């Protein structure tokens, strides 16, 4: 078996030690005689799995006691509706910062339920930059302010946390959660699909402040009401048990490797190496404003676009997989989440140098 370096934007690669551990336990979890996929979510075995996963996540992110941690389904996209259902109350309006495709989709959904103030947008320059604090036109009477912290398609990332005053800040952190330490207390709600830095697709994690739970609209579906899941310990219905198990193994792996501060250093080092290789070349270009570049997703283009297909074919032959850029940007995109080892980035840079020598 030969594993590739998988640069997919998601579902993304998982840490190899996690996969090996899961493989060891696939038939018999801790002497139970069954797989995690087979055990009852109501049984003591699975309860210990979800309890440990929550405790480790709370430790990693330093989540304050006045926040619920929910392990749900439906992807981050289901939260585009869940957030207004739970937070609007009687205000009828919300702020949204538009920095890419996912924030646009969130805006498109919430417009069905309330008035939306687009506090800032980078769409005028194809989302190649992030609005700064002074560029945010925030409404102090809004029910909440929504942001997408990292933009997988366009390769931009917030390197600061917006100050929204008394208005709760809601963040879609699907593609950069656990990549560095954050101050959870600055946010009212954090939500994230698991398939980038947490685990397999199918699991969605929500971190929500206590005072924002229990105020859902009367017409809110039961399954989108945060109180439903907070009151039941994420067990109102059958949760994504195997996804939670894998997430727990990822949390353990992060703790064993120094936690989020150590992860942040590794991620910055990986990204800086790759950006230096792009900036130091006349053959490759980055479309993103330098101070807003993502540490997770690195889009780049070739000055000779007719070579894109050749680049991708030859990269794949070298074990460098899933590098094709999104159609909105073109070119290439290297997603270098937590599980991407530094040697994977080094191998990509070496291939880029060699390809340039042969084709410049």
């Amino acid at each position: 078996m030969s594993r590739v370096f998988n640069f997919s934007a998601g579902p993304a690669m998982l840490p190899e030690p996690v996969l090996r551990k899961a493989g060891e336990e696939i038939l018999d979890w801790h002497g139970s005689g069954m797989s995690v996929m087979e055990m009852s979510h109501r049984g003591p075995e699975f309860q210990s799995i979800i309890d440990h996963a929550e405790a480790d996540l709370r430790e990693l992110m330093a989540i304050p006691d006045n926040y619920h941690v929910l392990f749900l389904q439906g992807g981050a996209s289901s939260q585009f509706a869940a957030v207004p259902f739970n937070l609007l109350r009687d205000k009828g309006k919300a702020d949204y910062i538009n920095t890419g495709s996912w924030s646009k989709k969130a805006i498109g959904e919430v417009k069905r339920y309330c008035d939306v103030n687009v506090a800032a947008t980078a769409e005028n320059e194809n989302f190649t930059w992030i609005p700064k604090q002074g560029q945010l036109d925030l409404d102090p009477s809004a029910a909440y302010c929504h942001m997408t912290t990292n933009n997988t398609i366009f390769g931009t990332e917030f390197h600061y946390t917006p100050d929204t005053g008394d208005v709760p800040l809601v963040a879609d952190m699907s593609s950069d959660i656990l990549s560095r330490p954050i101050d959870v207390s600055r946010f009212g709600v954090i939500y994230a699909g698991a398939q980038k830095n947490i685990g397999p697709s199918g699991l969605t994690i929500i971190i929500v402040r206590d005072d924002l739970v229990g105020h859902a609209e009367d017409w809110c579906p039961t399954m989108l009401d945060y109180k439903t899941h907070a009151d039941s310990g994420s067990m109102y219905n059958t949760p994504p048990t195997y996804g939670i198990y894998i997430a727990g193994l990822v949390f353990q792996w992060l703790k064993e490797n120094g936690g989020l501060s150590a992860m942040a250093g590794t991620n910055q080092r990986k990204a800086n190496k790759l950006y230096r290789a792009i900036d130091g070349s006349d053959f490759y270009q980055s479309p993103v404003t330098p101070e807003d570049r993502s540490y997770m997703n690195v889009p780049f283009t070739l000055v000779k676009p007719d070579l894109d297909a050749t680049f991708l074919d030859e990269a794949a032959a070298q074990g460098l997989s899933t590098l094709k850029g999104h159609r909105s940007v073109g070119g290439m995109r290297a997603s270098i989440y937590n599980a991407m080892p530094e040697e994977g980035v080094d191998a990509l840079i070496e291939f880029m140098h060699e390809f340039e020598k042969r084709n410049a």
Side-chain angles (χ1 to χ4, degrees):
M1 183 185 70
S2 178
R3 283 181 58 79
V4 300
F5 292 117
N6 177 14
F7 292 93
S8 172
M13 64 186 302
L14 286 162
E16 189 168 320
V18 166
L19 294 174
R20 292 188 180 280
K21 179 70 170 175
E24 293 169 5
E25 298 180 341
I26 189 69
L27 293 176
D28 181 5
W29 183 83
H30 293 202
S32 66
M34 55 185 160
S35 168
V36 173
M37 289 183 283
E38 300 171 305
M39 64 179 56
S40 169
H41 64 292
R42 304 292 184 189
E45 294 90 355
F46 184 73
Q47 189 64 55
S48 71
I49 289 172
I50 194 171
D51 287 347
H52 278 102
E54 178 175 341
D56 286 342
L57 181 61
R58 284 185 177 276
E59 180 181 344
L60 281 166
M61 295 184 68
I63 299 172
D65 291 339
N66 64 323
Y67 283 74
H68 290 283
V69 175
L70 310 177
F71 295 91
L72 306 183
Q73 302 175 71
S77 295
S78 66
Q79 296 305 305
F80 297 167
V83 167
F85 288 177
N86 284 273
L87 270 62
L88 274 178
R89 302 192 188 186
D90 59 351
K91 294 195 173 182
K93 55 184 178 179
D95 287 343
Y96 275 70
I97 305 171
N98 184 16
T99 52
S101 294
W102 296 109
S103 56
K104 281 187 68 176
K105 289 183 178 181
I107 291 168
E109 177 68 25
V110 77
K111 280 182 175 179
R112 301 169 64 187
Y113 315 115
C114 73
D115 294 329
V116 178
N117 170 47
V118 178
T121 180
E123 190 167 10
N124 60 329
E125 294 182 61
N126 202 32
F127 298 115
T128 55
W129 56 281
I130 291 290
K132 305 303 183 285
Q133 180 71 45
Q135 297 172 299
L136 303 181
D137 180 20
L138 299 172
D139 181 352
S141 62
Y144 61 89
C145 178
H146 181 282
M147 67 184 294
T148 304
T149 54
N150 183 79
N151 301 285
T152 55
I153 291 174
F154 298 97
T156 60
E157 186 172 9
F158 276 84
H159 296 298
Y160 77 99
T161 299
D163 182 358
T164 57
D166 294 330
V167 175
L169 180 60
V170 177
D172 178 353
M173 291 191 182
S174 293
S175 53
D176 65 347
I177 194 170
L178 299 177
S179 65
R180 65 180 189 271
I182 63 164
D183 182 356
V184 173
S185 69
R186 298 282 302 278
F187 301 87
V189 179
I190 293 169
Y191 65 88
Q195 63 273 15
K196 320 282 190 180
N197 270 336
I198 298 173
S201 60
L203 169 65
T204 309
I205 288 179
I206 292 88
I207 302 167
V208 54
R209 205 171 63 213
D210 290 355
D211 63 296
L212 300 177
V213 175
H215 307 286
E217 303 289 344
D218 292 340
W219 40 262
C220 175
T222 300
M223 285 295 291
L224 293 182
D225 187 341
Y226 292 149
K227 191 174 189 301
T228 298
H229 304 288
D231 287 350
S232 61
S234 300
M235 297 284 191
Y236 178 78
N237 67 326
T238 305
T241 54
Y242 201 73
I244 294 169
Y245 160 71
I246 296 292
L249 295 183
V250 170
F251 302 156
Q252 293 172 24
W253 173 77
L254 284 167
K255 288 174 61 178
E256 290 165 1
N257 285 275
L260 301 193
S261 293
M263 198 74 253
T266 300
N267 285 331
Q268 290 178 22
R269 189 167 59 249
K270 291 188 301 186
N272 289 339
K273 278 184 178 183
L274 186 48
Y275 285 123
R276 281 197 299 270
I278 295 167
D279 292 341
S281 164
D282 294 326
F283 192 78
Y284 304 103
Q285 296 177 340
S286 167
V288 180
T289 301
E291 63 265 27
D292 297 325
R293 288 173 172 175
S294 169
Y295 291 135
M296 297 285 96
N297 309 96
V298 182
F300 61 93
T301 57
L302 278 62
V303 295
K304 298 179 180 180
D306 56 307
L307 290 174
D308 283 2
T310 303
F311 181 98
L312 290 167
D313 288 344
E314 292 187 11
Q318 296 293 318
L320 306 170
S321 174
T322 330
L323 280 163
K324 186 176 181 179
H326 192 272
R327 60 184 179 275
S328 303
V329 179
M332 313 301 155
R333 174 177 53 176
S335 295
I336 51 176
Y337 303 119
N338 288 353
M340 173 60 67
E342 197 161 352
E343 54 264 37
V345 176
D346 291 339
L348 173 59
I349 292 171
E350 182 179 356
F351 169 76
M352 290 168 64
H353 287 326
E354 293 173 353
F355 189 86
E356 178 179 1
K357 288 180 182 176
R358 290 184 280 108
N359 294 282

